[in-house]
Amino acid sequence: MNDDKPPERRKTSNRPPGQQTGGASQTFDVDKQARAAAKGQRPCIVWLTGLSGAGKSTIANLVEKRLLALGRHTYLLDGDNVRKGLNSDLGFTDTDRIENGRRVAEVAALMADAGLIVIVALISPFLGERAKARAMVETSEFLEVFVDTPLAIAEARDPKGLYRKARRGELANFTGIDSPYEPPEHPDLRIDGARLQPDAAAELVIVELHRVGAIAIE
């Protein structure tokens, strides 16, 4: 966020940067900076990516609890939950996975525009879709967190029995089995999902948010 105040208040679009559509956009006096200032925080998207069973949702839940305890305004977008409503019409082909990520990214960008700290827990297997999600907000407002859990460990955990179904051929296009996962080349934060306990992993996210200036820790 830029703390310099312009001589006059400039009306800006209510839509996040880079997301203008073909026609003229409606403009409003209350912008992202005003909404964030009212909450006393900087907006940010924390995007956790990794295999199914890597620990993304568990870590995301702990991160949100920590942020709430710090008085931050948050929202958590979880991959399983968004498929029950917003993305209930999508399957698991590559095309549908990309659209799933695009919709989640659009919602996350709108929530960031509302001044929130948004935590996303989503496999989001492709480099391109995550790059597009990052491009929807300002550079300082996106934190890609790679929950790096090897396939063998994620499959051994298999809390929902999905890997077993995929191995039996009952689930097609399952990431890590018959659908690819493209790991981040330069994540903002890498979490060793095989070694770190969820509490310690969540603490790393909180520390990184503090390091980049998204939150203050007294």
Side-chain angles (χ1 to χ4, degrees):
M1 287 169 50
N2 187 350
D3 293 329
D4 295 334
K5 294 182 180 180
E8 290 184 13
R9 178 125 189 184
R10 180 172 61 87
K11 292 186 177 182
T12 58
S13 170
N14 199 36
R15 193 167 174 80
Q19 297 303 297
Q20 304 306 325
T21 56
S25 298
Q26 182 65 52
T27 57
F28 299 95
D29 290 323
V30 178
D31 59 11
K32 176 171 58 179
Q33 284 71 28
R35 298 183 193 104
K39 296 175 177 64
Q41 64 184 35
R42 284 179 51 186
C44 184
I45 297 174
V46 181
W47 191 287
L48 288 89
T49 176
L51 294 171
S52 176
K56 301 180 300 299
S57 296
T58 301
I59 295 169
N61 180 56
L62 291 170
V63 168
E64 186 172 38
K65 288 174 66 177
R66 287 292 307 279
L67 289 172
L68 183 65
L70 292 170
R72 302 301 89 194
H73 299 258
T74 64
Y75 197 84
L76 199 167
L77 292 167
D78 180 77
D80 288 342
N81 291 348
V82 296
R83 281 188 175 273
K84 291 182 171 69
L86 176 68
N87 295 342
S88 60
D89 60 321
L90 298 176
F92 293 90
T93 63
D94 287 358
T95 299
D96 280 359
R97 285 181 180 277
I98 291 170
E99 175 61 13
N100 182 58
R102 187 195 70 79
R103 292 183 192 178
V104 171
E106 287 278 4
V107 172
L110 288 170
M111 289 183 167
D113 196 50
L116 297 175
I117 298 173
V118 189
I119 306 131
V120 175
L122 193 70
I123 293 173
S124 44
F126 302 119
L127 289 167
E129 64 172 319
R130 298 194 301 269
K132 289 179 180 177
R134 182 188 290 273
M136 288 183 181
V137 293
E138 297 175 29
T139 303
S140 62
E141 295 175 353
F142 194 93
L143 187 69
E144 183 181 42
V145 179
F146 178 28
V147 185
D148 188 1
T149 302
L151 175 62
I153 293 177
E155 188 169 358
R157 292 173 180 171
D158 201 14
K160 303 167 188 172
L162 300 179
Y163 282 100
R164 290 190 292 276
K165 290 182 179 179
R167 292 293 187 187
R168 292 196 299 264
E170 298 172 9
L171 283 180
N173 304 309
F174 192 81
T175 303
I177 305 299
D178 59 349
S179 185
Y181 178 79
E182 299 172 355
E185 296 174 347
H186 304 289
D188 299 293
L189 177 65
R190 175 188 170 272
I191 289 174
D192 186 342
R195 183 178 64 85
L196 286 180
Q197 293 297 312
D199 281 333
E203 180 63 21
L204 284 181
V205 177
I206 296 296
V207 170
E208 183 65 13
L209 283 169
H210 175 63
R211 187 189 71 80
V212 301
I215 62 172
I217 301 176
E218 296 181 358

